[in-house]
Amino acid sequence: MAEKQISLSAKLINGGIAGLIGVTCVFPIDLAKTRLQNQRNGSRIYTSMSDCLRKTIRSEGFCGMYRGAAVNLTLVTPEKAIKLAANDFFRHQLSKDGQKLTLVGEMLAGCGAGTCQVIVTTPMEMLKIQLQDAGRIGKEAQRKLIGREEGAKMNVDQLKSPTALQLSRALLKDKGITGLYTGLGATLLRDVPFSIIYFPLFANLNSLGRRNTDGSAPFYISFVSGCLAGCTAAVAVNPVDVLKTRLQSLGRGRHDDTYSGIKDCISKILHHEGPSAFLKGAYCRALVIAPLFGIVQVVYFLGVGEFVLSLLHGQKH
């Protein structure tokens, strides 16, 4: 991330605020990504991101676009804090006498950050996907979206779907703590390569262009670097994101396959849908990740965490 030294407390605040703002802004696109990745050729409800969002609003109301947002908003603070703090920790450990890290060192630091991140990411993503995909597999939603007369008036009903707490209780009861870590392998395969690509790419892009008087990068360079690095990493790991989404979707539609693991999932997707299925939702994911990581850089540039800590420190005295 930014080269300036930031305390752990400030990182927690920075990561939390950046995550909360970013998730709120891009969550509807993330929901469309999940539903597009999960639909199979035999049960296609949505033709594009805009079509998915339009049909979601018609059948589930505006709030339907934020299914599962509460889980993300609750857990995004520790998730971002772990990711940012771990990357800085590994960068510090791998650097020798303050010298600039080599590309290999930057990649290793990103690998360590991605590995630590999945502790929070896996349960959060699994619960979020269940809630996001509820509208797609709900019989009532499908009845409204398929086979209805053209121009018929559509009433917005509240679709019954489980809450994150109900899902958590059911998984803990049936499978124990491991139930919350369904798809752990796929999450590792997605988040570790993502961090390996993102952190070195951002650091190098951010070092380009003119500098401020204190040697830091201007705001717009950090913002654009965060967007470009996030977008590139997101598209690169999208095939694994499709696998993770499929494996973590416990609820199944009438035409949906079941998978016993990563290898079985790859085999069935290739056999039934072809290689192009691994690109489902790629542009949605890029639209989610790019502004999210751009916002992270904005928060770091503005020093929100340090500002909040200074206010708290001032109140104590």
Side-chain angles (χ1 to χ4, degrees), residues 66-88:
Y66 283 88
R67 282 182 181 271
V71 176
N72 258 29
L73 292 173
T74 301
L75 296 177
V76 73
T77 298
E79 185 262 331
K80 290 295 179 205
I82 290 173
K83 190 184 190 78
L84 299 173
N87 180 67
D88 282 354

Side-chain angles (χ1 to χ4, degrees), residues 71-109:
V71 176
N72 258 29
L73 292 173
T74 301
L75 296 177
V76 73
T77 298
E79 185 262 331
K80 290 295 179 205
I82 290 173
K83 190 184 190 78
L84 299 173
N87 180 67
D88 282 354
F89 171 79
F90 288 116
R91 287 178 71 92
H92 177 73
Q93 294 298 316
L94 291 169
S95 63
K96 297 180 179 179
D97 300 325
Q99 295 181 354
K100 188 178 185 297
L101 272 181
T102 63
L103 179 60
V104 174
E106 291 178 335
M107 294 174 69
L108 288 173

